[in-house]
Amino acid sequence: MKIKAVVDSTKWYASSTYLLFGINFFTQILLLRILSPENFGEYALILVVTDYLLVLSALITNKAFLVYQNEENSYGVALLVAWVLYVLLLIVSYIVAGFVFNGDDRIYGYFMFFIPIKLLSIPLSIYIAHYEKKLMYKFIGKMQLFLSFSANIMVVFFAYLGIGTISLLLKDITIVLGGFIFMQKYKPDEKIHFNRQLVKKYLSYGMGLMNVRLFATTLLRAPVLFIIYFFGASTAGLYDRAYWLGTLTNRLISPITHKVGFSILTKLNNDKKLKLARVAATTISILLFPIFIIFLFYYDVVAQLVFGDKWGGIDNFIQSLSVVSLAIPIWSGVIFQYYLSKKELLKVNYMQICMTILLGIGVFLSWSYDNAMIIS
C-alpha cells in the first residue's frame, strides 16, 4: 500500500466532504426556517419504511466487496447480487407499502415515487466500491460534491415554493439517481459474473452485517414510529431533527472512518488494526467531548441558535439525545469498522444489542425526567 496515495486520497476526500458537510448544515438551517416539523415528520416516516427495507441490502455492500476484493471476478459477482437484490426489494416494497400506508394516499404516493430510485443505491454502492478499492477518493469526492451541491439548491428552491415533504425526498432522489447516471459512464468494463462460492461468501458476510444494520436501524427509526403513533408527525419531526443535530458529530468523522479508514483497515494485519483503532477512539473522544457537554447543559441555547422559534419543545429532545453525539461516532466510526474489517460480525451484533439497549434506556429516562414527550 502506497502511503502517499493513502494520504493524498484521504486529504482530498476529507476536504471535499467537509465542504459538503458545511453546505448541508446551512441548507438544513434554511429548511428549518421554511418547512414545518410536520414536513420532517412525514419525511421521517417514509425513511422508516425505506431504511427497514434497506436492511436487506446489507446482503451485498461496498464493505463486503472490499473484504473480498482479491477474489476472482469479485466486482462482477457483487454487481450480480446487487441487481438481484434490487428487483426483490422493489417487489417487497410495493407489498409492504400497501399495508403501512393504507388509508394515507398522499404519503403512499410519495413512497411509491421515492423507493424505486432510492433502491438504486444498492448497485451504485458497488460501482463506487470499485474506486474505493483503488483509493480513488478524489474521483468519488468530486462526484459527490457536485451531486450534493445540486441537490441542496434544488431542495431549498422547492421548499421555498411550498412543496414541503416532496422537496426533502427530491434531495435523496437527486443524489442517488444522479450518481447512478454518472456511474454509467465511468463504471468498470467488467461484466456481471456468477461464482457460487463467492456468492456464498458475500451472503454469509452480509447476513452478519444485516443483523447489525437491523439493530442500528431500530435504534434510529423505531422511536419515530412510536412518536408518530402516540404524538403525531409534528412531534416526530422534532425528534428527527434533534437526532440529526446529535449525530452531526458522526457525519463529521465518517468520511475518514467509514470510507478511507475502513479501506485501510482491510489492508492491515490484526495487530496494526487494533493499534489504529485505539488511537482513533482516543482521538475522537477528546475531540467530541466538548460538543457532548454543550448539548447536555446548554441545549436551550443550541435550540434557539439552530432551530429558531418555530421549533418549540425541541430543546428537551436535544438534551435527551446529547449522548449520541459522543457514543455513536466511537461505536460506528471505530469499533464497528474494526470488527467488520476482521469479519467478526458476531461480536459486532452483541455490541450493537448492548449499544441499542443502553442508549434506549438513557433516552427514555431523560425524556421521562424532562417530560419531553408532553408537547403542546
Side-chain angles (χ1 to χ4, degrees):
M1 182 174 57
K2 296 180 179 180
I3 300 299
K4 187 178 185 302
V6 173
V7 173
D8 289 344
S9 63
T10 301
K11 187 187 303 182
W12 210 100
Y13 185 76
S15 60
S16 63
T17 304
Y18 290 136
L19 174 61
L20 188 57
F21 176 88
I23 294 172
N24 285 333
F25 179 78
F26 286 109
T27 299
Q28 283 293 318
I29 299 299
L30 287 174
L31 292 175
L32 292 171
R33 267 66 178 173
I34 300 172
L35 302 177
S36 67
E38 184 176 4
N39 293 139
F40 283 97
E42 292 174 347
Y43 174 64
L45 176 59
I46 292 173
L47 289 187
V48 167
V49 181
T50 302
D51 285 353
Y52 270 110
L53 289 169
L54 285 174
V55 165
L56 295 174
S57 72
L59 290 173
I60 183 64
T61 64
N62 61 327
K63 295 188 183 299
F65 171 70
L66 290 171
V67 167
Y68 295 105
Q69 60 185 278
N70 295 322
E71 298 279 349
E72 185 179 1
N73 297 324
S74 58
Y75 173 81
V77 175
L79 197 58
L80 172 64
V81 177
W83 277 113
V84 171
L85 196 59
Y86 172 86
V87 174
L88 292 177
L89 279 179
L90 189 60
I91 295 172
V92 172
S93 298
Y94 289 148
I95 296 173
V96 169
F99 291 98
V100 176
F101 302 112
N102 184 31
D104 195 334
D105 293 338
R106 184 171 59 89
I107 303 299
Y108 175 78
Y110 292 167
F111 178 81
M112 296 294 281
F113 171 68
F114 177 70
I115 194 64
I117 299 174
K118 184 64 176 179
L119 290 178
L120 288 175
S121 61
I122 301 174
L124 177 60
S125 70
I126 304 303
Y127 293 151
I128 295 176
H130 172 77
Y131 292 97
E132 292 177 350
K133 171 184 175 181
K134 298 181 178 181
L135 298 176
M136 295 175 62
Y137 287 98
K138 186 174 183 179
F139 171 82
I140 299 171
K142 285 182 177 180
M143 180 187 71
Q144 293 181 344
L145 184 61
F146 172 77
L147 291 173
S148 297
F149 183 75
S150 303
N152 278 309
I153 294 175
M154 182 178 296
V155 69
V156 172
F157 175 74
F158 282 106
Y160 182 77
L161 293 180
I163 297 181
T165 306
I166 296 179
S167 64
L168 296 172
L169 295 174
L170 285 176
K171 180 179 179 180
D172 295 79
I173 289 172
T174 302
I175 293 173
V176 174
L177 185 59
F180 182 81
I181 294 173
F182 182 84
M183 289 305 299
Q184 298 312 298
K185 181 178 181 180
Y186 294 100
K187 67 181 180 180
D189 293 331
E190 187 178 346
K191 304 299 181 183
I192 287 178
H193 291 277
F194 178 75
N195 181 314
R196 186 175 180 180
Q197 294 302 318
L198 186 52
V199 168
K200 285 184 177 180
K201 289 181 179 180
Y202 279 143
L203 295 182
S204 176
Y205 185 87
M207 285 295 294
L209 189 58
M210 187 171 66
N211 292 331
V212 174
R213 185 170 290 183
L214 176 61
F215 284 111
T217 301
T218 300
L219 176 64
L220 174 61
R221 298 302 180 190
V224 174
L225 281 177
F226 174 83
I227 294 171
I228 284 180
Y229 182 78
F230 288 102
F231 300 96
S234 294
T235 306
L238 296 176
Y239 167 85
D240 180 70
R241 289 302 87 189
Y243 192 92
W244 161 79
L245 183 65
T247 54
L248 280 178
T249 52
N250 189 48
R251 294 186 184 90
L252 192 63
I253 68 164
S254 62
I256 304 299
T257 57
H258 290 57
K259 296 290 185 179
V260 181
F262 183 80
S263 297
I264 294 173
L265 283 172
T266 59
K267 301 177 187 298
L268 299 176
N269 60 45
N270 287 340
D271 290 338
K272 290 183 178 179
K273 286 179 182 179
L274 181 60
K275 183 177 180 180
L276 180 61
R278 285 174 174 172
V279 171
T282 302
T283 304
I284 290 171
S285 300
I286 294 172
L287 292 176
L288 298 185
F289 187 76
I291 298 177
F292 162 67
I293 293 299
I294 291 172
F295 286 167
L296 181 63
F297 294 108
Y298 301 99
Y299 54 92
D300 51 345
V301 177
V302 173
Q304 184 61 37
L305 289 175
V306 177
F307 295 93
D309 298 327
K310 185 189 293 187
W311 292 72
I314 200 170
D315 52 347
N316 287 321
F317 282 99
I318 293 174
Q319 185 184 41
S320 301
L321 295 168
S322 59
V323 66
V324 305
S325 64
L326 185 61
I328 296 298
I330 295 174
W331 156 249
S332 178
V334 181
I335 301 174
F336 184 48
Q337 308 303 321
Y338 170 71
Y339 283 109
L340 280 182
S341 69
K342 294 181 65 179
K343 306 176 189 177
E344 297 181 1
L345 299 181
L346 189 60
K347 290 183 179 180
V348 176
N349 288 333
Y350 288 147
M351 288 187 292
Q352 183 72 70
I353 293 173
C354 293
M355 175 66 73
T356 302
I357 293 173
L358 289 175
L359 286 179
I361 292 174
V363 170
F364 175 77
L365 291 176
S366 183
W367 280 347
S368 300
Y369 179 79
D370 290 317
N371 294 317
M373 298 299 293
I374 305 176
I375 300 175
S376 58

